[in-house]
Amino acid sequence: MALVSADSRIAELLTELHQLIKQTQEERSRSEHNLVNIQKTHERMQTENKISPYYRTKLRGLYTTAKADAEAECNILRKALDKIAEIKSLLEERRIAAKIAGLYNDSEPPRKTMRRGVLMTLLQQSAMTLPLWIGKPGDKPPPLCGAIPASGDYVAKPGDKVAARVKAVDGDEQWILAEVVSYSHTTNKYEVDDIDEEGKERHTLSRRRIIPLPQWKANPETDPEALFQKEQLVLALYPQTTCFYRALIHTPPQRPQDDYSVLFEDTSYADGYSPPLNVAQRYVVACKEPKKK
């Protein structure tokens, strides 16, 4: 029943999103005329080589209108982003409900049948579709945006992806990519599943062994302080694996769509670090262990 209800709500949200996209286009078309007038007014001023009181008054009015138009379009776009976030949340809830119920559709087979190549593709898609934080002027990026850690009392929800510190078969400890199954407020412990279906393991771990992954990408152009900086020590997901390893930031992202360039600790190289490798913001978290000498 919950799955049917989610499907119905998603259909409603998609209709609302479609209307908001149409409104955005209408608002943009309406404001275009005003922007053309601004450009023509500046051209006339350059031709006449003077700024008369008439042009000052006219430009002030045109720019006031342009600012109002931009704010109106921005508000519509924010509403559209909220709809998209709600749709993604409902899709995730539906996936978890289906997993619990043992129901899977054709596009999302049971974990036991998922090929490794499919898993790697899904992880790349998750990184690419991680939403970009777009705050209002003066807003600071929230916890779990880029390099900003979760608040001290934060509890990851079922379905959230985390870095989890577990004991490997050989007894060594390693950080793996995992999915939260549940959290017990009585024991203060998480139950998490290894995201790698080859592991097929469920782990019970304390909070200190869990690091929530970012829920938004930080925009380097507006919020550079929300990114890890050059030579900062991090845990990063090694490409084409589901394990996190210690690394140094080589180059932070320069544009919203860019990845980090990182140097993984690797004793097989003379300087102790691998050549630069790209890792998405989604899979880079703070490393609290001290840097090796």
Side-chain angles (χ1 to χ4, degrees), residues 27 61 104 119 210 283:
E27 189 68 39
Y104 295 88
L119 176 60
I210 296 291
Y283 303 121

Side-chain angles (χ1 to χ4, degrees), residues 29-237:
S29 299
R30 190 174 64 81
S31 63
E32 216 166 82
H33 176 71
N34 189 60
L35 294 175
V36 170
N37 279 341
I38 290 175
Q39 184 179 351
K40 287 182 176 178
T41 302
H42 277 288
E43 288 172 355
R44 291 194 198 101
M45 288 168 55
Q46 288 175 348
T47 301
E48 297 178 15
N49 199 26
K50 66 177 182 179
I51 305 175
S52 66
Y54 165 75
Y55 283 133
R56 280 202 187 95
T57 303
K58 183 176 181 179
L59 280 175
R60 188 178 293 114
L62 289 171
Y63 275 114
T64 299
T65 302
K67 182 174 179 289
D69 289 346
E71 288 172 347
E73 184 179 339
C74 183
N75 287 334
I76 296 171
L77 288 170
R78 288 186 188 282
K79 289 178 182 177
L81 289 172
D82 288 342
K83 299 293 180 190
I84 292 170
E86 190 174 349
I87 290 168
K88 289 183 70 174
S89 176
L90 285 168
L91 287 171
E92 181 65 7
E93 288 176 13
R94 188 177 68 175
R95 183 188 70 81
I96 295 167
K99 180 180 174 182
I100 293 170
L103 303 173
Y104 295 88
N105 57 39
D106 293 337
S107 64
E108 191 174 26
R111 282 164 57 110
K112 64 181 181 181
T113 62
M114 188 182 292
R115 297 189 306 275
R116 189 166 186 78
V118 175
L119 176 60
M120 292 301 112
T121 299
L122 290 174
L123 295 184
Q124 289 174 0
Q125 289 175 348
S126 176
M128 289 174 61
T129 57
L130 189 69
L132 181 70
W133 167 253
I134 304 174
K136 295 179 180 179
D139 283 355
K140 290 186 177 180
L144 295 180
C145 173
I148 301 176
S151 57
D153 59 352
Y154 178 79
V155 174
K157 302 184 298 295
D160 282 358
K161 305 300 185 293
V162 297
R165 190 172 187 175
V166 301
K167 278 194 175 181
V169 178
D170 59 7
D172 289 342
E173 295 200 331
Q174 61 181 4
W175 287 94
I176 64 167
L177 179 60
E179 180 177 300
V180 173
V181 176
S182 64
Y183 177 77
S184 170
H185 289 276
T186 304
T187 62
N188 288 328
K189 290 187 176 181
Y190 284 98
E191 276 201 334
V192 301
D193 280 342
D194 186 342
I195 203 72
D196 188 346
E197 57 92 15
E198 290 178 2
K200 296 176 185 172
E201 291 184 57
R202 180 161 293 181
H203 304 272
T204 301
L205 303 169
S206 61
R207 289 170 64 105
R208 64 186 177 82
R209 288 179 170 267
I210 296 291
I211 303 176
L213 298 191
Q215 295 184 354
W216 296 276
K217 281 187 283 193
N219 188 341
E221 296 168 353
T222 57
D223 304 298
E225 74 283 1
L227 291 165
F228 293 110
Q229 301 304 308
K230 185 176 176 65
E231 296 188 354
Q232 194 166 349
L233 182 64
V234 297
L235 290 172
L237 196 71

Side-chain angles (χ1 to χ4, degrees), residues 264-275 293:
F264 285 98
E265 291 184 352
D266 191 334
T267 55
S268 65
Y269 291 91
D271 62 356
Y273 292 96
S274 72
K293 300 293 184 182

